[in-house]
Each structure stands twice: as C-alpha cells, then as structure tokens.
C-alpha cells in the first residue's frame, strides 16, 4: 500500500545493449576462443569479416596486414548476461558499429536457424540476414526448446538494444595492463 502523497512510478524496463570488444590481435586467446565457438556453431566458416555493400568480403585486409586488432560485438541483457554475439570479426569499432546499425534496421527480415552440435547434441541458433549469418548464440543449450526461446529473446532484445558509445578494450591473461591508462582496475 502506498503512503499518502506518494506516487507509484513504474520502472521502465532496462534495454539490452550492444557492447564492442576491441582486442589487440586476432591471435589473442579471447579472440581464438570466440572463433572456436563460432566455428562450432557454424562449421566450415571461411569468412572472418562482413561483406562490403558490394557483397565482397573484407578478408583481404587481414591478409594484407591492415588489421592489427580484432573487434567483435556482444548483445547483453540489462543484467550483463550475454544473449548473442557477432558472427564476424571487424577491423575496427566503427565498422562493427555500422554493421550492427544496418542489422538493426532489418530485424524484421532476420531469420533464425537452429543448429545442433553433432558430437554432443547441444543446441544453438544463428540469426541470418540476406542469406548469411550475422549473430550466433552466446552459449550452447541442452534442449531445442530452450535454444529456440533464447533465439526469440535475443532477436527481441536486438530490436530495442542501445549501442554503447565506446568500445571496451580487453586484455588477455598473456598481456596485463601496465598502467591505469591501459585499462588497469584500481
């Protein structure tokens, strides 16, 4: 019961967010772990970077040495639980941001593909746009119904997700920050 003079103000639900991770190198252990998971969800992946508007992959940049770091994005709930992650690695945060913005404009045309890890019968999902994957599940699920519910939740969250303004630089266990300016936690 409310006390006299007080008003009930409903709390607005906290929206999901898209965060960007900038890693120092594609050889970083966290990027390698991300790639192993992605390749298990979508086996036989040869493309690392999103296609340009022309439909051509930008993988040539990595081969030519233009890419020194790696960027990927994560869709996270208001409690910071990861709901999904980018299918692609990006050359920089701006490229990743533009791709997420483009995906957000076509969420009504995204389709979900259920996947099964044949070795363990774990379940997962992939969101596809214009014939190719753009986002994968963030983890494996034990049942098809749980994976399907998670895919629906992720797609719904993606529709209203806010893009966090600044990419977060992350450091692997191999390279620890040496000063507060490099991201040390004080």
């Amino acid at each position: 019961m409310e006390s006299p003079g007080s008003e009930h103000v409903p709390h607005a639900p906290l929206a999901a967010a898209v965060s960007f991770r900038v890693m120092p190198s594609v050889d970083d252990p966290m990027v390698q772990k991300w790639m192993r998971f992605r390749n298990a969800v979508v086996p036989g992946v040869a493309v690392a970077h999103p296609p340009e508007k022309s439909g051509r992959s930008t993988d040539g940049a990595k081969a030519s040495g233009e890419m020194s770091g790696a960027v990927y994005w994560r869709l996270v709930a208001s409690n910071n639980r990861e709901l999904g992650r980018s299918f692609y690695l990006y050359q920089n945060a701006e490229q990743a941001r533009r791709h997420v913005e483009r995906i957000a404009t076509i969420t009504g045309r995204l389709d979900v593909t259920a996947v099964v890890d044949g070795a363990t019968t774990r379940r997962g999902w992939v969101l596809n746009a214009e014939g190719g994957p753009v986002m994968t599940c963030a983890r494996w699920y034990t049942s098809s119904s749980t994976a399907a519910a998670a895919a629906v939740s992720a797609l719904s969250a993606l529709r209203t997700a806010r893009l966090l303004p600044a990419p977060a630089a992350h450091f692997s266990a191999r390279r620890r920050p040496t000063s507060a300016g490099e991201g040390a936690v004080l």
Side-chain angles (χ1 to χ4, degrees), residues 87-104:
F87 173 78
Y88 294 107
L89 282 178
Y90 302 87
Q91 296 170 354
N92 57 58
E94 187 55 35
Q95 181 190 32
R97 178 177 294 283
R98 283 191 314 266
H99 195 224
V100 172
E101 288 170 346
R102 198 165 60 236
I103 293 166

Side-chain angles (χ1 to χ4, degrees), residues 24-185:
S25 162
V26 293
D27 297 323
D28 185 274
M30 285 183 70
V31 175
Q32 292 297 309
K33 181 179 175 185
W34 173 90
M35 289 172 71
R36 279 191 304 275
F37 180 79
R38 183 199 61 183
N39 293 344
V41 172
V42 184
V45 176
V47 176
H49 301 292
E52 297 172 345
K53 289 187 180 178
S54 66
R56 200 172 48 96
S57 171
T58 57
D59 283 346
K62 182 181 173 193
S64 69
E66 287 178 41
M67 182 177 173
S68 59
V71 179
Y72 61 95
W73 54 266
R74 300 169 57 232
L75 176 65
V76 293
S78 59
N79 65 357
N80 210 33
R81 181 179 178 124
E82 190 174 12
L83 303 174
R85 54 180 66 160
S86 63
F87 173 78
Y88 294 107
L89 282 178
Y90 302 87
Q91 296 170 354
N92 57 58
E94 187 55 35
Q95 181 190 32
R97 178 177 294 283
R98 283 191 314 266
H99 195 224
V100 172
E101 288 170 346
R102 198 165 60 236
I103 293 166
T105 65
I106 60 168
T107 56
R109 296 189 314 237
L110 296 176
D111 63 88
V112 178
T113 301
V115 295
V116 178
D117 177 22
T120 63
T121 67
R122 299 174 296 186
R123 308 297 200 253
W125 53 265
V126 178
L127 282 181
N128 299 289
E130 301 164 347
V134 292
M135 184 167 87
T136 70
C137 53
R139 66 181 188 89
W140 290 110
Y141 300 90
T142 56
S143 72
S144 296
S145 60
T146 306
V152 169
S153 293
L155 181 55
S156 177
L158 183 60
R159 287 186 175 113
T160 60
R162 60 190 166 83
L163 274 60
L164 296 180
H170 292 274
F171 301 94
S172 71
R174 289 186 188 167
R175 181 179 176 268
R176 300 219 180 261
T178 58
S179 70
E182 288 187 64
V185 177

Side-chain angles (χ1 to χ4, degrees), residues 10-21:
H11 293 285
L14 296 174
V18 174
S19 67
F20 299 91
R21 296 234 170 157

